[in-house]
């Protein structure tokens, strides 16, 4: 959020006397704080009361923490070492307490003298450092510390009750140094320009921005913190929603060719061929899409639905409607495996309707072409020619579709599958291939909670498919605790044999490929437990690999079954051949990485075993599980894990096993992950603009801010009467964030 000129000042200048250029550099490089305004918007993560102490019992491993605690005990030990062979080495061990737990601090060598004098029993201080484990006990080695001494003027009560802000910090810059820097720049908060329209601010009972900034950094009471947070959350939600509302408004002004299907055309012929009736949800969502396609400005719609809810069918009908109306439709898929899979299933569903210009093709037929990076030159030339002439009504491809060489006769609709894998640049490049902006349908297979959809995909209208097609079977999911109960794992392989014996097929999914290109450093993760604990062993072991597991299964529990492997580093033709054999039932068990995560449709596959399931995210497990139970036989998903029962990883797996509701799981997933990942900054590399707002918790604020934003933009799209809001918007939408916002 932008502020007036004093707040544009680079941090080096006003803080020279306090911090010097080295600290300003650390702030810029490690915390992204470059101006006075940035620093004012670097809010405390939490507050400590001097009279109370932190919960040492809850400290996260391997993270930089700041704690306020009291010294319980301090002992100086001497020892012999290579550097000090005569027993002259010194080690100071200080035990600090907060009433709930204890933590050991360790200082070595010449570093012991100062703390030995200062950290006497009974002393209170703030300590900052990285939490590690030594001899099964938590410790901070060589922590930085700041003694907490009361100001001589302060009464004991005031001192003990003061709230100490604890800032997001780094090993190179402790929380209290950030606090001191803020003390220096806090007077400039008075000059902050308020982005909220005055009527909105008063109507909602929110404090002015300068007051909110003072209260967030220097609260006297907990009520001050609440007032400040309420105000700053509104700023973030409102400015973001205004940005999205303006994008929707601008898109609505663009011209587009209305596309209305002809009554006796391709779509009618396709519907007549369908061996089943569409679900109510599919019919409702199709109506929403057809209404949009018939307008003279571009559709921008997000289609989200449960795994297996029939999104591809809805998208295909939209593409056929556009072809009917004389246009072309392009479907963009994130991987070659998925593009080939979509192409194959669409051609199968359309039958003779996909054989335009060929012998045996129906009268209304069109051509459906595939375009991927690894195609042979001749096939590629033919596909490009079919697109330019308009012979091909539908093209399915990867990002190869975006290349300059690809020209369309009349591109009317772009369908993007799995939007989070495509950046704004690709989306725009494809949209730029139409004579006028084409309609856009974005599909996501990971159900998104309503608030996230409003925040991340706020420039798209949303359609939700939440019922499964008739004939789909429920999927039973179970956690298989391989370490606690090895016989459960043996039983899992027996179940696979039973399913194959009944004429069905199985997937086994592993987190890693296992060829020599794998990076051993990535394979094992650092432990978050004391050495020797079962959790530690499970975490330290490299993730299981496709090539190893396939070999072990072929020689062991699945001996005699037809086992094949599939992973991302195989040649495209080989991948395609493996998928074809599996789809044709020539393979019993497919051992694969997550390349099968989306879109792969083999109705005869009924069981999926996910190895090291704790290494996958909640949404990813839900996605993977959606590959089974796609036919009339019930599906079974077995989540294999070596993590102990009480671990957070196992609780996550229990949550996945307990519900098939993807929307519920996506909420759980979001609550467990950092917000920023969801808001696209992981993809775009930009810092999230949401520092105070929590998307899941602040559902009401986001919904209300959206209403207010729509009203403001409808009345004054250019924000002519709201210069302060424009300034805030420009700060949010600098180039990086523009991308982060659109990437979703």
């Amino acid at each position: 959020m932008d502020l007036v000129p004093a707040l544009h000042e680079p941090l080096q200048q006003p803080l020279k006397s306090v911090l010097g250029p080295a600290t300003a550099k650390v702030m810029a490089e490690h915390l992204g704080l470059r101006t006075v305004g940035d620093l004012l918007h670097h809010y405390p993560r939490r507050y400590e009361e001097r009279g109370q102490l932190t919960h040492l019992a809850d400290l996260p491993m391997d993270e930089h923490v700041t704690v306020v605690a009291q010294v319980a005990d301090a002992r100086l030990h001497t020892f012999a070492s290579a550097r000090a062979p005569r027993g002259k080495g010194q080690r100071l061990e200080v035990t600090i307490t907060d009433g709930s737990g204890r933590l050991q601090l360790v200082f070595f060598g010449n570093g012991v003298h100062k703390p030995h004098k200062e950290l006497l029993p009974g002393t209170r201080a703030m300590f900052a450092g990285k939490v590690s484990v030594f001899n099964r006990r938590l410790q901070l080695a060589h922590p930085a510390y700041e003694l907490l001494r009361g100001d001589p003027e302060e009464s004991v009560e005031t001192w003990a009750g003061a709230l100490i802000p604890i800032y997001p910090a780094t090993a190179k810059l402790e929380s209290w140094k950030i606090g001191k820097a803020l003390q220096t720049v806090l007077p400039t908060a008075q000059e902050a320009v308020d982005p909220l329209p005055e009527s909105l601010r008063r109507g909602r009972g929110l404090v002015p921005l300068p007051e909110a900034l003072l209260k967030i950094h220097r609260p006297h009471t907990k009520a001050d913190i609440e007032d400040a947070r309420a105000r700053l959350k509104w700023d973030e939600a409102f400015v973001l929603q205004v940005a999205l509302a303006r994008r929707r408004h601008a898109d609505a002004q663009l011209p587009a060719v209305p596309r209305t299907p002809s009554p006796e055309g391709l779509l009618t012929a396709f519907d007549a061929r369908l061996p089943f009736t569409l679900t109510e949800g599919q019919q409702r969502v199709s109506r929403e899409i057809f209404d949009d396609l018939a307008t003279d400005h571009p559709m921008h719609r997000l289609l989200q639905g449960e795994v297996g809810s029939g999104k591809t069918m809805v998208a295909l009908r939209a593409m056929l409607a556009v072809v009917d109306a004389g246009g072309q439709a392009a479907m963009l898929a994130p991987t070659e495996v998925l593009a080939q899979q979509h192409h194959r299933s669409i051609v199968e569903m359309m039958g003779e309707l996909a054989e335009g210009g060929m012998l045996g093709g129906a009268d209304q037929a069109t051509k459906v072409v595939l375009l991927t990076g690894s195609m042979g030159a001749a096939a590629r030339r033919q596909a490009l020619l079919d697109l330019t002439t308009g012979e091909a009504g539908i093209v399915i491809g990867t990002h190869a579709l975006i290349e300059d060489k690809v020209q369309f006769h009349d591109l009317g609709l772009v369908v993007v599958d799995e939007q989070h894998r495509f950046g704004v640049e690709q989306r725009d490049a494809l949209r730029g291939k139409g004579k006028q902006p084409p309609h856009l349908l974005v599909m996501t297979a990971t159900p998104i909670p309503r608030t996230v959809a409003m925040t991340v995909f706020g420039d798209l209208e949303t359609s939700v498919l939440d019922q499964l097609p008739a004939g789909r079977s429920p999927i039973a999911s179970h956690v298989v605790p391989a370490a606690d109960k090895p016989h459960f794992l043996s039983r899992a392989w027996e179940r696979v044999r039973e399913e194959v014996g009944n004429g069905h097929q199985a997937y086994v999914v592993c987190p890693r490929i296992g060829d020599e290109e794998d990076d051993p450093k990535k394979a094992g993760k650092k432990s978050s437990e004391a050495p020797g604990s079962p959790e530690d062993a499970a975490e330290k072991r490299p993730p299981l690999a496709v090539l190893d597991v396939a070999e072990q299964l072929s020689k062991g529990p699945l001996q005699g079954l037809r086992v094949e492997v599939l992973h991302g580093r195989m040649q495209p033709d080989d991948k395609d051949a493996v998928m074809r054999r599996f789809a044709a039932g020539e393979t019993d068990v497919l051992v694969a990485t997550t390349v099968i995560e989306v879109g792969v449709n083999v109705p005869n596959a009924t069981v999926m075993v996910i190895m090291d399931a704790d290494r996958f995210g909640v949404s990813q497990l839900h996605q993977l599980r959606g590959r089974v139970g796609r036919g009339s036989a019930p599906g079974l998903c077995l989540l294999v894990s070596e993590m102990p029962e009480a671990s957070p990883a196992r609780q996550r797996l229990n949550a996945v096993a307990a519900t098939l509701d993807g929307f519920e799981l996506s909420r759980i997933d979001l609550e467990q992950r950092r917000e920023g990942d969801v808001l696209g900054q992981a993809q775009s590399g930009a810092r999230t603009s949401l520092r105070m707002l929590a998307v899941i918790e602040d559902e009401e604020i986001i919904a209300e801010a959206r209403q207010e934003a729509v009203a403001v933009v409808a009345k004054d799209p250019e924000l002519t009467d709201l210069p302060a809001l424009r300034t805030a918007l420009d700060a949010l939408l600098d180039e990086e964030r523009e991308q982060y916002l659109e990437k979703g």
Side-chain angles (χ1 to χ4, degrees):
M1 216 149 297
D2 217 354
L3 307 156
V4 296
L7 285 94
H8 278 312
E9 278 195 65
L11 282 172
Q12 272 110 320
Q13 279 129 34
L15 296 181
K16 237 177 200 160
S17 54
V18 185
L19 295 179
T23 307
K25 190 175 173 211
V26 171
M27 278 193 173
E29 287 177 5
H30 293 271
L31 296 168
L33 308 176
R34 290 177 176 81
T35 66
V36 173
D38 288 344
L39 183 55
L40 284 173
H41 286 286
H42 187 67
Y43 307 132
R45 181 174 279 159
R46 57 189 169 82
Y47 300 85
E48 293 291 7
E49 285 181 80
R50 283 184 172 135
Q52 294 181 327
L53 295 168
T54 49
H55 280 282
L56 293 181
D58 303 337
L59 291 180
M61 279 296 303
D62 280 333
E63 275 192 33
H64 196 81
V65 298
T66 303
V67 295
V68 176
Q70 184 168 326
V71 176
D73 182 39
R75 295 179 187 203
L76 189 62
H77 302 276
T78 53
F79 59 90
S81 71
R83 284 188 181 171
R86 297 195 183 151
K88 295 251 174 91
Q90 291 192 308
R91 181 174 78 245
L92 177 65
E93 289 178 4
V94 178
T95 306
I96 56 172
T97 176
D98 64 350
S100 76
R102 289 175 165 245
L103 180 65
Q104 185 132 30
L105 315 178
V106 188
F107 302 88
F108 290 101
N110 295 335
V112 304
H113 304 306
K114 187 166 175 266
H116 189 220
K117 279 195 296 213
E118 294 182 334
L119 298 179
L120 303 171
T123 308
R124 287 193 173 191
M126 272 194 283
F127 302 92
K130 201 172 183 185
V131 185
S132 57
V133 168
F134 183 71
N135 280 345
R136 295 191 172 233
R137 288 167 69 189
L138 292 180
Q139 72 167 28
L140 298 182
H142 279 286
Y145 63 88
E146 176 91 334
L147 300 180
L148 294 176
R149 301 185 175 96
D151 187 320
E153 307 292 305
E154 267 179 324
S155 72
V156 176
E157 288 75 23
T158 322
W159 185 83
L163 294 158
I164 304 171
I166 305 291
Y167 290 95
T170 76
K172 295 193 166 149
L173 194 63
E174 293 88 14
S175 168
W176 53 87
K177 284 189 183 161
I178 296 170
K180 281 179 181 169
L182 265 151
Q183 196 72 44
T184 312
V185 300
L186 209 47
T188 52
Q190 294 303 335
E191 301 169 33
V193 176
D194 204 322
L196 291 192
E198 186 61 14
S199 56
L200 188 160
R201 188 182 72 69
R202 287 185 186 284
R204 299 262 169 201
L206 299 167
V207 300
L209 180 58
E211 187 183 328
L213 290 170
L214 286 169
K215 284 183 167 176
I216 200 78
H217 293 297
R218 289 290 169 268
H220 293 298
T221 62
K222 289 185 177 164
D224 283 353
I225 300 171
E226 290 312 306
D227 285 352
R229 280 176 186 257
R231 165 59 216 250
L232 295 167
K233 282 182 175 186
W234 251 95
D235 276 18
E236 288 178 4
F238 180 69
V239 176
L240 187 58
Q241 291 301 336
V242 167
L244 293 164
R246 287 186 74 202
R247 180 157 303 121
R248 281 196 303 278
H249 185 271
D251 284 340
Q253 312 308 309
L254 293 171
V257 180
R259 310 279 178 174
T260 313
S262 52
E264 295 306 312
L266 188 55
L267 181 62
T268 309
F270 175 76
D271 285 349
R273 283 181 52 96
L274 284 179
F276 52 82
T277 49
L278 297 172
T279 65
E280 275 173 45
Q282 285 175 316
Q283 289 172 8
R284 183 193 73 247
V285 170
S286 288
R287 278 195 300 276
E288 291 171 355
I289 291 172
F290 291 156
D291 288 349
D292 280 1
L293 290 174
T295 62
D296 56 7
H297 57 82
M299 164 172 82
H300 286 93
R301 190 165 281 281
L302 171 69
L303 170 58
Q304 60 162 327
E306 272 298 0
V307 176
S309 58
K311 291 182 293 292
T312 311
M313 173 60 71
V314 170
L316 175 56
R317 293 184 74 243
M319 293 197 285
L320 295 175
V322 168
V323 174
D324 248 358
Q328 291 170 294
M331 182 187 253
L332 199 54
T335 63
E336 292 209 352
V337 167
L338 197 47
Q340 288 162 341
Q341 178 81 28
H342 275 319
H343 180 254
R344 197 175 309 131
S345 61
I346 283 172
V347 168
E348 268 169 29
M349 282 194 275
M350 287 175 64
E352 67 208 28
L353 297 174
E355 294 169 2
M358 291 185 255
L359 277 174
D363 293 345
Q364 309 95 325
T366 186
K367 232 181 184 185
V368 180
V369 300
L370 175 69
L371 191 63
T372 64
S374 64
M375 280 169 77
R380 187 180 175 78
R381 253 197 316 276
Q382 186 58 52
L384 290 172
L385 186 66
D386 289 341
L387 288 180
T388 314
T389 58
E391 188 88 2
I394 294 176
V395 59
I396 294 139
T398 54
H399 48 81
L401 276 178
I402 299 163
E403 291 169 12
D404 293 344
K405 292 193 203 91
V406 182
Q407 298 298 323
F408 289 85
H409 177 65
D410 179 13
L411 181 61
L413 170 68
V414 174
V415 178
V416 178
D417 192 10
E418 281 300 282
Q419 199 256 0
H420 63 267
R421 304 189 186 195
F422 283 98
V424 61
E425 304 85 4
Q426 291 107 315
R427 203 163 101 180
D428 282 351
L430 194 51
R431 275 159 65 176
K433 290 184 180 290
K435 294 187 177 74
Q436 282 190 314
H439 299 281
L440 174 71
L441 180 65
V442 170
M443 297 198 294
T444 171
T446 308
I448 308 168
R450 172 172 156 265
T451 32
V452 180
M454 281 194 315
T455 307
V456 177
F457 294 103
D459 57 335
L460 305 176
E461 298 300 321
T462 306
S463 296
V464 177
L465 276 175
D466 45 14
Q467 62 186 129
L468 296 183
R472 275 294 167 87
S473 310
I475 304 168
S477 304
H478 303 285
V479 178
V480 177
D484 312 350
K485 299 177 177 167
H487 60 286
F488 275 39
L489 184 57
S490 311
R491 175 71 190 122
W493 301 127
E494 283 171 24
R495 282 292 290 115
V496 170
R497 292 194 84 98
E498 286 164 16
E499 287 297 313
V500 172
N502 291 334
H504 297 302
Q505 292 160 280
Y507 296 101
V508 177
V509 180
C510 305
R512 200 164 62 97
I513 298 172
D515 57 17
E516 65 290 340
E517 287 183 51
D518 271 357
D519 184 346
K521 282 190 286 218
K522 288 182 188 163
K525 287 194 297 185
K526 279 191 177 172
S527 154
S528 57
E529 286 288 303
S533 72
E535 190 156 356
D536 186 50
E539 283 252 335
K540 278 241 170 100
R541 169 178 65 62
L544 292 169
V546 166
L547 302 177
D548 304 341
V549 168
E551 189 182 351
Q552 288 160 10
L553 292 176
S554 304
K555 292 179 177 171
L558 302 185
Q559 199 173 5
L561 300 187
R562 297 167 299 178
V563 177
E564 286 212 57
V565 299
L566 179 70
H567 59 74
R569 276 210 279 273
M570 290 165 64
Q571 290 302 314
D573 291 353
D574 297 343
K575 278 192 251 189
D576 199 40
V578 169
M579 273 317 301
R580 277 174 192 275
R581 286 195 291 274
F582 190 65
E586 294 163 20
T587 304
D588 300 320
V589 180
L590 187 61
V591 183
T593 55
T594 54
V595 289
I596 58 148
E597 182 185 348
V598 275
V600 173
N601 187 27
V602 180
N604 191 45
T606 52
V607 62
M608 172 172 286
V609 182
I610 304 178
M611 308 303 291
D612 277 344
D614 47 89
R615 312 263 180 155
F616 298 97
V618 169
S619 297
Q620 206 173 21
L621 291 169
H622 184 56
Q623 266 310 91
L624 286 166
R625 166 170 69 183
R627 301 303 109 212
V628 294
R630 299 178 82 85
S632 50
L636 173 66
C637 177
L638 302 174
L639 305 166
V640 179
S641 172
E642 292 188 4
M643 299 303 267
E645 189 143 8
S647 64
R650 271 284 287 280
Q651 287 160 9
R652 213 168 57 230
L653 296 182
N654 292 340
V656 175
T659 178
L660 288 172
D661 180 342
F663 288 91
E664 175 57 30
L665 286 173
S666 68
R667 283 187 80 94
I668 293 169
D669 196 16
L670 249 179
E671 281 159 6
Q672 291 183 343
R673 280 166 39 190
R674 289 201 330 282
E675 204 88 54
D677 297 347
V678 182
L679 294 170
Q681 122 240 34
Q683 283 93 325
S684 74
R687 288 202 326 268
T688 173
S689 59
L690 302 190
R691 300 169 187 189
M692 188 59 81
L693 199 67
V695 175
I696 289 287
E697 287 166 31
D698 298 319
E699 196 155 353
E700 280 174 33
I701 295 177
I702 291 169
E704 288 171 15
R706 182 173 178 138
Q707 278 177 338
E708 296 273 13
V710 169
V712 164
V713 171
K715 193 166 141 196
D716 179 8
E718 293 305 310
L719 308 179
T720 316
D721 300 332
L722 297 165
L725 178 56
R726 277 206 71 120
T727 310
L729 210 55
D730 293 342
L732 175 75
L733 296 183
D734 60 30
E735 220 167 309
E736 275 188 317
R737 293 188 188 160
E738 180 86 48
Q739 289 181 8
Y740 126 73
L741 200 61
E742 289 208 15
K743 280 194 177 179

